Amino acid sequence: MTAWALTWEVKANDRYYHWQFKEKVFLCCQRKRYKTNIIHTAKYNVFTFLPLNLYEQFHRVSNLYFLLIIILQGIPEISTLPWFTLFAPLVCLLIIRAARDLVDDIGRHRSDTAVNNRPCQILVGKRFLWKKWKDLCVGDVVCLQKDSIVPADMLLLASTEPSSLCYVETADVDGETNLKFRQALAVTHHELNNTRKMATFQGKVVCEKPNSRMHNFVGSLEWKGKKYPLDSGNILLRGCKIRNTDACYGLVIYAGFDTKIMKNCGKIHLKRTKLDHLVNRLVIMIFLFLLLVSMGLALGFRYKIKEFRTKHYYISSNYKRTDTMESFFTFWGFLILLSVMVPMALFIIAEFIYLGNSIFINWDTQMYYAPLDTPAKARSTSLNDQLGQVEYIFSDKTGTLTQNIMTFKKCCINGHIYGPDNEDTLPKVNPYLWNEFADGKLLFHNKELLSAVRAKKDKVVQEFWRLLALCHTVMVREQNNQLLYQAASPDEEALVTAARNFGYVFLSRTQDTITVVELGQERVYEVLAMMDFNSVRKRMSVLVRNPEGSICLYTKGADMVLFQRLSKRDVTETATEEALAAFAEQTLRTLCLAYKEVDKDAYEAWSLRHQEANLLLQNRAQALHQLYEEMEQNLQLLGATAIEDRLQDGVPDTIRCLKNGNIKVWVLTGDKLETAVNIGFACQLLSEDMIILEEKEIVHMLEGYWDSNNSLQNGKGRFLQQVQTAMVITGDFLDQLMIPSSKDKSKTLHENVLAEKAWQEPNQQQEASPTWRLPQMWRSFVEQLGGMRETLRLRGAKPHESPEVRRERAFVDLAVHCQAVICCRVTPKQKALIVTLIRKHQGVVTLAIGDGANDVNMIKTADIGVGLVGQEGMQAVQNSDYVLAQFCFLQRLLLVHGRWSYMRVCKFLRYFIYKTLASMMAQIWFAFYSGFTAQPLYEGWFLALFNLLYSTLPVLYIGLFEQDVSAKKSLQMPELYIAGQKEELFNYWVFFQALAHGMATSLINFFVTLVACHDNGGPFSFSDYQSFGVILALSGLLSVTMEVILIIKYWTILTVLAILLSLSCYAIITCASQSLWLFKTSPRTFPFLYADRNVLSQPFALLVILLNVSLNTVSVLAFRIIYQIVKKPRPKVEEVPSEEIMVEPIQYLQRESRARRSSYAFSHREGYANLITQGTIMRRARDTNSELLNDDQPPSEDEIPPSFRDPTWHPRRLSFLPVSLSEGQAIILEDLETAVAIHLAKESLRQKGDRTKTRHPTITY
């Protein structure tokens, strides 16, 4: 508690109280301590756009380089080219990029405006008025209606539900789909029961300062001289949605950027691609090269000028400067002249290429989703090439991989499996028309089962559906003559809905009864006891007395739990077990159902002891647990249910295809561990032959990194490649891994992991920790993982790294060797942390994809962020770089558009560098024959327009339309994607190849022309300066044109048009610039009068041009053919292990399907059993007055169960997968404290360093 001092004070209905507080920002600058509810996620505003955007643009080295050259061109003494030849293109480039950034930011401004202007009801004076979210302030009292989104972090004061319960959906905050409840304090529930009392409410909340901890809140309410403790069970977080609650009232505690969801959102980062960074480094290299060349040529000029002045002393009066000064000016003249080696046109054309490829993404009909009328959209136009280099995908689960829909898929009754009928046999008429209560949304139809139900002859079938209608904690309400079910989880609702359609309709419940309509007959069952799910029991039971007076126990739960409690093993159990295995293979979520008839005398004796146990003040939970265990014996198996957590279309195929492309998919979710693992199997991210590393094993393995003394060999790390591994961790584990110091790291992790086995169910043998009783193969596996530390050190680990960095590096290295990683119960900030760790230690391109506000931070942090248009709002879309409607479209986005964009940009860069050097390197060779005077070789207009017009269209075609293989083959051969990950198409080696190729072309053109023109005179000679330059210009232009013809693989009519139009531009503009009219107008600007016409009229000149082009083309073709002949396919070298590893059979490591086929029972939250049995949740008749809530007296402190006071879920580290089948299933038990001792338990756990608190109503199993 000391780490988080309670210094935040909020006074209800008093805005002036908060306005008076200021906080220091910088030096004497201050700002208001309590923020408004206005949010701004945009980067710019009217005043900051120009300076901030220019600041970002001049972070590019190329822009700084061009600015330097423009400044030099403005100095007449050293300028060799007009200053506007670079200034105009640079301004054009800056405007294009600024416009792109402005469009992106306008979208963010619109999003912010839409959010800030959402309506809400704020208490002003003595009534609630409709205002906007941006008008909210800390201390305001707000009224929220059903299906409203919570505008700020608020303390729940009251609601229209019984006991001021409020049901919320938090999918947009933490990714969980199940319905949660929050509850107001008893004092505010009873006191604040009308608007007048809320207007006079003067309570003060004292709590922790704003922070990013989503699942924690500590504070107190001070009112009327008393203090009332507050926790996160009393808090409504911004972004939650009010469900099944007509109205609720809250006090704003944190607003705007102080809210927990905004604290987790992160900041907008300037994203730049790998190629962009590489081009920046190449610009620096080229600039340094030009400096050295210019310096060398200037030294040559210094030598030549001495010789010139000696021989031609009679004109030396024209050179009044010293030799050193002349050389100095010549150096800058050469630097300006050779600046065309980094052409501005490259960056301008690149912007159009990026824009064009983004438009192609928007136009792709294969990524259009008709049900939502949503096409793919590229919100960023500068990251397309990086889509072809992704190595890691970080995906949310809820709404991204799944549809948030639970469907009743199959069932097994008395050993017989009932699945959905084939499409051919489906009835044309709704088969449930006979049932007035049937839900038309249920898609499960089975004619045979429906006939058996309506025949009323099979008792097992009747009891099966009766159990589903009775054994649950679902609440029901009627709206528009329709039954609406309100469940703690979507699984429960799916099961009750299935029973409803088959004629066993859950109609209503009271504190002591359940009313069910069974095939048209209404029956009322008396509830004698309700035994809810929890993480220890993994089952739920209800003890009822039917209208005939018989007492029955109905139980549902995990198969491994129920099978141990059956009266006898028979054929039904064997058949059911086979059915469960089949369901698990189909990744369905299963439950087993059983029942028994209870003797009345036995029940009376048990009931007395049950009442006594309920009155205990100590060890109440253990006593009740033993009584439940005693009752839940000698059961008769009824069957099993199978629920499908429906995936989005094509998810398994997409993940399989991405994995074939060497892309690793990690799932980061706020949902429960078991649910996430089950989805991992469903989408084929996990497989049966994988070794699933859990937290206990990970702890033991990482100790090899922390404690080993470098005695193992590097080769042993190869074991990782010999097995398929996956990692499953929780957010709590990630926190403990990163936070503690290295000295107590091992101890802390082991204490937290082993603390989970504090106690087990009665009569169950205590198992030794699998961390210490590993089979031989595990020991070999762990030891060889330890041997990887040397590999780490070789790969970049520094000897003086901090313990935190070493821990990060060890964890990341272990994780990246796994074929799949699933992180569950992680906060938005932890999602971003995982992405940051991979980027930091692996240096790879990462992509994050999600659909909710809890994914925004991850999307912003990754190199590429993809937002899915889903059910969780539009915040992920508004902060993303690309927008998709379905996860399966990611396959086409990366493997087709991403790979094409990367290939096109790489080929564009290589060819542009080649063609620039092929033409402009001749300037350097010409300097050796012009006295190093920085005399331009070419006509000025050719220099200015060569990269802008004369060779632009073919290279633009390459950047927009080039394809090496079709889209269909790209999807069929995902292995082609690996070239982008390895940066094979453009790197330093490719750059130097282009450099050498361009230099060779320029050498051939220059010296062949020089030899042909040497000592050639006469009226038809072309050895003059202008003719020589024209021949070189034409030779260079035609040589690069032939090269583009050779490298283009995808030929269309556009290819021919691009080449012809480029050559036509040269012919037309050259003819105009060398005309007599322009020469007379400005001889200095247009000095090459009829130069091209004179040269082209000479056959010998044409022959020289043809010879240059032929030599360049033939030499390149010969080199490439020889290279292909010499190049041999790389032989596959089989790695031989350095030593044999004797291992036990693999079954000791594999997790069998039995361990996960009851994942619903493991992951199911505790329902509303306590609320039901104590009547808290039951709706009572209201008084006919103006009060908002009923006036029931609040229960005393002793009467309030701990589940009411602290209902927030806190993650537990648990192992639901067995180490081996022979050791049995590992069941982790959780200490359940009584209401009186709950504060002592919290203090004890806090002293041990375990942040998990004993809170029950929303515990995960």
Side-chain angles (χ1 to χ4, degrees):
M1 188 69 68
T2 57
W4 301 92
L6 304 183
T7 60
W8 191 262
E9 296 183 358
V10 177
K11 198 169 182 180
N13 295 313
D14 192 346
R15 289 191 173 187
Y16 178 76
Y17 175 80
H18 306 104
W19 289 344
Q20 63 184 336
F21 290 97
K22 307 286 184 180
E23 62 181 3
K24 187 177 180 181
V25 180
F26 178 74
L27 296 178
C28 58
C29 299
Q30 291 185 333
R31 65 181 179 190
K32 293 182 179 180
R33 187 187 187 202
Y34 297 89
K35 293 183 174 61
T36 65
N37 205 42
I38 300 176
I39 62 166
H40 299 288
T41 61
K43 293 169 61 177
Y44 314 110
N45 57 39
V46 176
F47 302 104
T48 62
F49 173 72
L50 187 60
L52 189 57
N53 188 263
L54 287 176
Y55 172 77
E56 290 177 349
Q57 294 214 47
F58 280 102
H59 265 64
R60 299 174 187 264
V61 178
S62 58
N63 289 345
L64 291 174
Y65 169 76
F66 292 132
L67 183 62
L68 172 64
I69 299 300
I70 290 171
I71 294 173
L72 295 177
Q73 284 182 337
I75 303 175
E77 288 79 2
I78 61 176
S79 176
T80 54
L81 294 173
W83 63 272
F84 54 81
T85 57
L86 268 183
F87 179 78
L90 179 62
V91 171
C92 180
L93 180 63
L94 295 177
I95 291 175
I96 291 173
R97 288 175 172 168
R100 181 193 63 197
D101 295 337
L102 181 62
V103 170
D104 292 342
D105 211 56
I106 288 175
R108 298 190 190 98
H109 275 286
R110 288 175 178 171
S111 169
D112 293 341
T113 302
V115 171
N116 291 329
N117 289 329
R118 285 176 178 170
C120 65
Q121 289 181 286
I122 306 175
L123 183 61
V124 179
K126 295 184 179 181
R127 61 175 180 165
F128 286 96
L129 301 179
W130 284 102
K131 298 284 187 179
K132 297 178 180 179
W133 277 25
K134 64 182 180 181
D135 300 323
L136 268 179
C137 293
V138 173
D140 286 350
V141 176
V142 180
C143 174
L144 299 175
Q145 307 293 331
K146 181 182 177 181
D147 296 329
S148 297
I149 299 175
V150 180
D153 292 350
M154 305 190 306
L155 169 65
L156 180 61
L157 298 175
S159 81
T160 54
E161 292 297 301
S163 303
S164 279
L165 291 171
C166 179
Y167 301 96
V168 294
E169 180 184 286
T170 61
D172 205 15
V173 175
D174 58 17
E176 292 195 32
T177 56
N178 54 294
L179 211 60
K180 302 188 180 106
F181 69 85
R182 299 291 182 256
Q183 188 173 17
L185 294 174
V187 61
T188 58
H189 161 62
H190 291 286
E191 293 290 335
L192 304 179
N193 53 15
N194 57 48
T195 305
R196 178 179 53 80
K197 292 184 178 180
M198 287 186 182
T200 59
F201 176 55
Q202 294 296 317
K204 184 167 75 171
V205 174
V206 180
C207 60
E208 59 194 4
K209 294 178 67 175
N211 58 74
S212 61
R213 297 179 299 156
M214 300 289 295
H215 302 292
N216 297 81
F217 179 82
V218 179
S220 64
L221 171 65
E222 299 178 3
W223 189 29
K224 297 182 179 180
K226 294 184 179 180
K227 285 188 177 182
Y228 305 92
L230 300 173
D231 56 34
S232 55
N234 310 119
I235 302 299
L236 301 176
L237 297 181
R238 178 187 175 114
C240 294
K241 188 171 288 187
I242 306 299
R243 294 294 194 191
N244 300 335
T245 305
D246 292 333
C248 65
Y249 304 84
L251 172 67
V252 177
I253 298 177
Y254 306 130
F257 284 104
D258 284 340
T259 58
K260 291 183 179 291
I261 189 64
M262 295 305 296
K263 286 285 185 181
N264 276 276
C265 274
K267 297 181 179 179
I268 297 175
H269 305 283
L270 178 63
K271 295 184 178 182
R272 298 174 61 185
T273 67
K274 275 190 169 184
L275 284 178
D276 194 8
H277 288 289
L278 178 58
V279 168
N280 263 351
R281 292 191 291 268
L282 292 179
V283 169
I284 295 174
M285 289 176 55
I286 294 174
F287 179 66
L288 294 177
F289 170 73
L290 294 182
L291 283 178
L292 293 176
V293 171
S294 300
M295 194 175 297
L297 295 176
L299 291 176
F301 173 80
R302 181 182 176 85
Y303 170 76
K304 280 288 184 179
I305 197 173
K306 289 181 179 180
E307 181 182 347
F308 181 81
R309 284 182 172 179
T310 303
K311 289 184 178 181
H312 306 282
Y313 60 91
Y314 51 88
I315 59 173
S316 60
S317 59
N318 293 332
Y319 298 92
K320 299 180 180 180
R321 304 189 188 97
T322 63
D323 294 349
T324 303
M325 186 59 65
E326 290 287 355
S327 300
F328 175 76
F329 283 116
T330 302
F331 164 77
W332 292 109
F334 272 118
L335 190 62
I336 295 172
L337 183 64
L338 298 178
S339 65
V340 291
M341 296 287 189
V342 186
M344 176 74 68
L346 183 148
F347 299 95
I348 296 176
I349 296 173
E351 291 298 322
F352 285 104
I353 289 174
Y354 282 120
L355 177 62
N357 282 290
S358 299
I359 293 174
F360 294 153
I361 292 175
N362 299 343
W363 286 353
D364 192 343
T365 57
Q366 299 295 318
M367 295 195 293
Y368 171 74
Y369 189 60
L372 294 179
D373 190 24
T374 304
K377 182 180 180 182
R379 300 184 74 248
S380 173
T381 59
S382 60
L383 302 175
N384 298 330
D385 59 286
Q386 195 144 263
L387 286 173
Q389 296 181 280
V390 174
E391 287 193 47
Y392 285 85
I393 293 177
F394 300 93
S395 173
D396 181 37
K397 179 190 74 71
T398 307
T400 304
L401 299 176
T402 65
Q403 299 184 30
N404 290 342
I405 299 174
M406 298 291 180
T407 57
F408 188 89
K409 194 70 174 178
K410 293 183 178 181
C411 63
C412 175
I413 304 177
N414 202 21
H416 184 70
I417 297 178
Y418 297 95
D421 290 332
N422 296 328
E423 294 184 2
D424 298 335
T425 60
L426 284 177
K428 297 181 180 179
V429 183
N430 186 357
Y432 302 117
L433 289 178
W434 58 273
N435 183 358
E436 61 175 318
F437 297 102
D439 188 342
K441 298 179 182 179
L442 184 69
L443 301 178
F444 179 79
H445 302 285
N446 187 285
K447 184 178 180 180
E448 181 185 358
L449 179 57
L450 188 58
S451 300
V453 171
R454 300 188 68 180
K456 302 182 183 180
K457 295 179 180 179
D458 192 334
K459 183 179 180 182
V460 175
V461 172
Q462 292 177 343
E463 295 295 343
F464 179 91
W465 293 110
R466 184 175 291 125
L467 185 150
L468 292 181
L470 293 173
C471 187
H472 56 78
T473 59
V474 174
M475 301 300 296
V476 63
R477 61 193 306 179
E478 188 173 341
Q479 182 175 334
N480 299 328
N481 296 323
Q482 291 290 328
L483 296 178
L484 297 180
Y485 290 148
Q486 164 182 311
S489 73
D491 304 71
E492 281 249 275
E493 183 178 350
L495 292 174
V496 177
T497 301
R500 166 182 172 178
N501 273 38
F502 278 88
Y504 288 77
V505 184
F506 166 55
L507 199 59
S508 64
R509 73 159 79 240
T510 66
Q511 184 174 346
D512 303 315
T513 65
I514 297 178
T515 302
V516 177
V517 175
E518 298 181 359
L519 299 175
Q521 181 182 357
E522 184 172 314
R523 293 168 60 87
V524 179
Y525 292 84
E526 180 184 357
V527 179
L528 305 177
M530 187 172 288
M531 312 164 200
D532 204 357
F533 273 105
N534 65 33
S535 60
V536 177
R537 291 167 40 75
K538 301 178 180 63
R539 61 190 181 276
M540 176 190 177
S541 297
V542 60
L543 191 63
V544 299
R545 179 181 283 117
N546 61 26
E548 291 76 25
S550 300
I551 298 175
C552 294
L553 177 75
Y554 294 98
T555 304
K556 64 181 181 183
D559 56 292
M560 65 177 192
V561 175
L562 288 193
F563 284 171
Q564 297 173 2
R565 291 160 175 78
L566 298 181
S567 58
K568 59 180 179 179
R569 184 175 182 86
D570 54 14
V571 178
T572 301
E573 181 182 348
T574 304
T576 303
E577 194 165 4
E578 293 175 356
L580 287 168
F583 294 160
E585 289 297 327
Q586 301 168 41
T587 65
L588 302 176
R589 296 155 63 91
T590 62
L591 277 181
C592 277
L593 311 182
Y595 90 112
K596 75 171 183 179
E597 294 185 1
V598 181
D599 183 73
K600 294 183 179 179
D601 294 336
Y603 164 71
E604 294 297 337
W606 182 87
S607 179
L608 290 175
R609 288 185 291 140
H610 183 254
Q611 293 178 5
E612 293 173 358
N614 270 323
L615 297 176
L616 292 177
L617 295 180
Q618 294 182 351
N619 300 322
R620 180 192 301 172
Q622 288 86 338
L624 289 173
H625 186 88
Q626 291 175 356
L627 284 171
Y628 295 162
E629 177 73 18
E630 179 184 326
M631 177 59 70
E632 295 166 328
Q633 297 295 331
N634 300 319
L635 301 174
Q636 178 183 342
L637 184 63
L638 293 174
T641 61
I643 297 290
E644 180 186 32
D645 189 356
R646 187 179 298 175
L647 295 174
Q648 288 191 9
D649 295 335
V651 167
D653 293 336
T654 299
I655 290 179
R656 188 188 312 111
C657 189
L658 293 175
K659 289 170 74 174
N660 291 336
N662 194 38
I663 301 175
K664 293 186 177 180
V665 180
W666 291 20
V667 176
L668 313 181
T669 177
D671 214 337
K672 300 171 285 294
L673 183 147
E674 297 79 11
T675 305
V677 170
N678 200 62
I679 292 298
F681 279 100
C683 64
Q684 299 180 14
L685 188 64
L686 304 178
S687 60
E688 295 293 344
D689 59 349
M690 274 187 178
I691 299 173
I692 299 180
L693 305 179
E694 295 174 312
E695 294 172 358
K696 293 182 289 297
E697 292 97 2
I698 295 170
V699 169
H700 199 79
M701 291 173 188
L702 292 181
E703 286 177 350
Y705 293 96
W706 296 318
D707 302 332
S708 178
N709 56 1
N710 297 334
S711 61
L712 298 175
Q713 298 296 323
N714 300 341
K716 294 184 179 181
R718 295 174 183 167
F719 184 78
L720 279 173
Q721 279 73 35
Q722 299 175 11
V723 293
Q724 296 283 318
T725 55
M727 178 184 290
V728 179
I729 61 173
T730 63
D732 240 14
F733 177 81
L734 190 64
D735 276 344
Q736 294 159 8
L737 184 71
M738 299 301 170
I739 295 176
S741 64
S742 57
K743 294 183 180 179
D744 61 356
K745 160 62 65 180
S746 167
K747 179 179 177 182
T748 303
L749 281 177
H750 273 300
E751 283 182 355
N752 286 323
V753 171
L754 296 179
E756 296 170 359
K757 291 203 169 187
W759 62 282
Q760 298 203 347
E761 291 201 41
N763 303 323
Q764 185 172 0
Q765 183 178 358
Q766 179 77 19
E767 294 182 356
S769 169
T771 307
W772 309 114
R773 292 185 57 188
L774 296 172
Q776 178 65 32
M777 187 172 182
W778 267 121
R779 289 200 294 272
S780 298
F781 190 28
V782 171
E783 289 173 0
Q784 293 176 43
L785 282 169
M788 291 169 51
R789 293 172 315 96
E790 284 293 331
T791 307
L792 275 179
R793 192 174 297 278
L794 292 174
R795 272 207 307 257
K798 300 177 182 179
H800 302 295
E801 282 182 339
S802 65
E804 291 77 11
V805 175
R806 286 200 298 270
R807 283 198 301 274
E808 290 177 1
R809 191 182 294 278
F811 169 73
V812 169
D813 193 76
L814 176 60
V816 298
H817 280 86
C818 296
Q819 279 65 45
V821 176
I822 295 178
C823 305
C824 49
R825 300 301 300 166
V826 287
T827 64
K829 186 168 271 189
Q830 287 173 326
K831 290 184 179 183
L833 170 64
I834 294 171
V835 177
T836 302
L837 288 178
I838 295 298
R839 293 184 62 193
K840 176 181 177 182
H841 295 290
Q842 294 297 307
V844 296
V845 178
T846 59
L847 181 147
I849 180 170
D851 70 325
N854 56 320
D855 304 314
V856 169
N857 202 349
M858 172 177 71
I859 287 172
K860 290 180 178 178
T861 305
D863 296 292
I864 301 171
V866 178
L868 284 189
V869 179
Q871 302 175 3
E872 299 183 22
M874 296 293 289
Q875 292 194 47
V877 168
Q878 292 156 357
N879 289 276
S880 64
D881 304 306
Y882 297 89
V883 179
L884 299 176
Q886 292 281 283
F887 181 86
C888 62
F889 295 155
L890 192 63
Q891 177 181 357
R892 187 172 179 86
L893 181 69
L894 298 183
L895 302 185
V896 178
H897 291 283
R899 200 184 68 81
W900 276 353
S901 295
Y902 173 73
M903 180 269 298
R904 289 165 179 169
V905 172
C906 289
K907 186 175 280 191
F908 155 76
L909 290 174
R910 187 200 180 285
Y911 175 72
F912 210 105
I913 292 171
Y914 157 74
K915 78 181 184 68
T916 302
L917 294 175
S919 296
M920 301 307 162
M921 281 289 286
Q923 293 278 4
I924 298 177
W925 318 136
F926 181 67
F928 287 90
Y929 294 90
S930 62
F932 302 99
T933 56
Q935 170 71 31
L937 171 61
Y938 302 115
E939 182 187 10
W941 290 102
F942 180 84
L943 286 174
L945 299 177
F946 174 75
N947 282 316
L948 280 176
L949 281 180
Y950 300 161
S951 60
T952 298
L953 294 181
V955 79
L956 186 61
Y957 176 88
I958 290 176
L960 290 177
F961 302 106
E962 176 67 338
Q963 298 178 19
D964 52 352
V965 295
S966 65
K968 183 178 180 181
K969 289 186 177 180
S970 295
L971 296 174
Q972 292 174 347
M973 298 184 292
E975 297 80 9
L976 296 173
Y977 190 83
I978 299 176
Q981 296 173 338
K982 295 182 177 180
E983 302 178 29
E984 293 180 355
L985 301 185
F986 192 80
N987 48 44
Y988 287 111
W989 174 240
V990 174
F991 168 74
F992 286 117
Q993 283 180 334
L995 190 70
H997 188 191
M999 189 179 296
T1001 301
S1002 67
L1003 285 171
I1004 291 174
N1005 288 339
F1006 183 84
F1007 286 102
V1008 168
T1009 306
L1010 183 66
V1011 171
C1013 299
H1014 187 64
D1015 292 334
N1016 185 7
F1020 301 106
S1021 171
F1022 51 88
S1023 60
D1024 61 287
Y1025 158 67
Q1026 290 188 354
S1027 298
F1028 184 78
V1030 167
I1031 292 177
L1032 278 181
L1034 280 170
S1035 298
L1037 179 60
L1038 293 177
S1039 294
V1040 300
T1041 303
M1042 286 302 299
E1043 174 66 14
V1044 82
I1045 291 174
L1046 293 177
I1047 65 174
I1048 289 179
K1049 295 183 179 180
Y1050 184 66
W1051 279 79
T1052 65
I1053 187 63
L1054 292 177
T1055 316
V1056 180
L1057 290 176
I1059 294 173
L1060 293 179
L1061 284 175
S1062 292
L1063 296 178
S1064 300
C1065 285
Y1066 172 79
I1068 295 171
I1069 294 177
T1070 301
C1071 182
S1073 64
Q1074 296 179 7
S1075 65
L1076 179 62
W1077 178 74
L1078 289 177
F1079 176 77
K1080 290 180 177 180
T1081 303
S1082 177
R1084 188 169 183 179
T1085 307
F1086 304 98
F1088 279 61
L1089 176 64
Y1090 297 139
D1092 273 70
R1093 189 176 70 176
N1094 293 335
V1095 168
L1096 295 177
S1097 64
Q1098 301 299 321
F1100 186 71
L1102 295 176
L1103 185 61
V1104 171
I1105 295 172
L1106 179 62
L1107 179 62
N1108 288 336
V1109 176
S1110 300
L1111 284 175
N1112 286 317
T1113 304
V1114 172
S1115 60
V1116 168
L1117 281 175
F1119 176 81
R1120 289 173 181 169
I1121 292 172
I1122 294 172
Y1123 178 76
Q1124 291 297 329
I1125 295 174
V1126 174
K1127 183 183 178 182
K1128 297 180 180 180
R1130 298 176 183 175
K1132 294 183 179 180
V1133 180
E1134 294 185 2
E1135 294 187 357
V1136 180
S1138 58
E1139 59 181 79
E1140 288 191 14
I1141 304 172
M1142 301 300 295
V1143 298
E1144 296 180 13
I1146 193 67
Q1147 58 262 30
Y1148 282 95
L1149 288 175
Q1150 292 177 337
R1151 265 65 171 185
E1152 299 297 334
S1153 60
R1154 178 183 176 88
R1156 61 180 173 83
R1157 66 190 185 197
S1158 292
S1159 62
Y1160 166 67
F1162 279 88
S1163 63
H1164 184 56
R1165 287 186 176 277
E1166 188 172 357
Y1168 306 140
N1170 283 339
L1171 302 178
I1172 293 170
T1173 55
Q1174 298 188 29
T1176 310
I1177 201 171
M1178 297 304 166
R1179 190 177 294 276
R1180 299 176 176 84
R1182 295 190 177 277
D1183 297 333
T1184 56
N1185 57 22
S1186 62
E1187 294 181 340
L1188 298 171
L1189 308 170
N1190 46 9
D1191 290 326
D1192 297 338
Q1193 290 299 320
S1196 65
E1197 186 69 19
D1198 292 338
E1199 292 174 341
I1200 301 178
S1203 59
F1204 292 176
R1205 280 180 272 164
D1206 204 354
T1208 302
W1209 186 93
H1210 281 274
R1212 300 279 299 178
R1213 297 166 307 283
L1214 56 99
S1215 175
F1216 74 102
L1217 301 173
V1219 174
S1220 68
L1221 294 178
S1222 59
E1223 292 177 350
Q1225 189 73 28
I1227 300 178
I1228 307 305
L1229 304 181
E1230 183 180 278
D1231 193 8
L1232 304 177
E1233 296 296 337
T1234 63
V1236 176
I1238 192 169
H1239 65 282
L1240 297 177
K1242 289 182 181 180
E1243 186 64 25
S1244 175
L1245 288 173
R1246 190 180 298 113
Q1247 291 174 357
K1248 291 179 182 179
D1250 190 342
R1251 294 166 56 199
T1252 306
K1253 301 180 182 179
T1254 55
R1255 293 177 171 143
H1256 308 303
T1258 53
I1259 292 177
T1260 281
Y1261 317 104

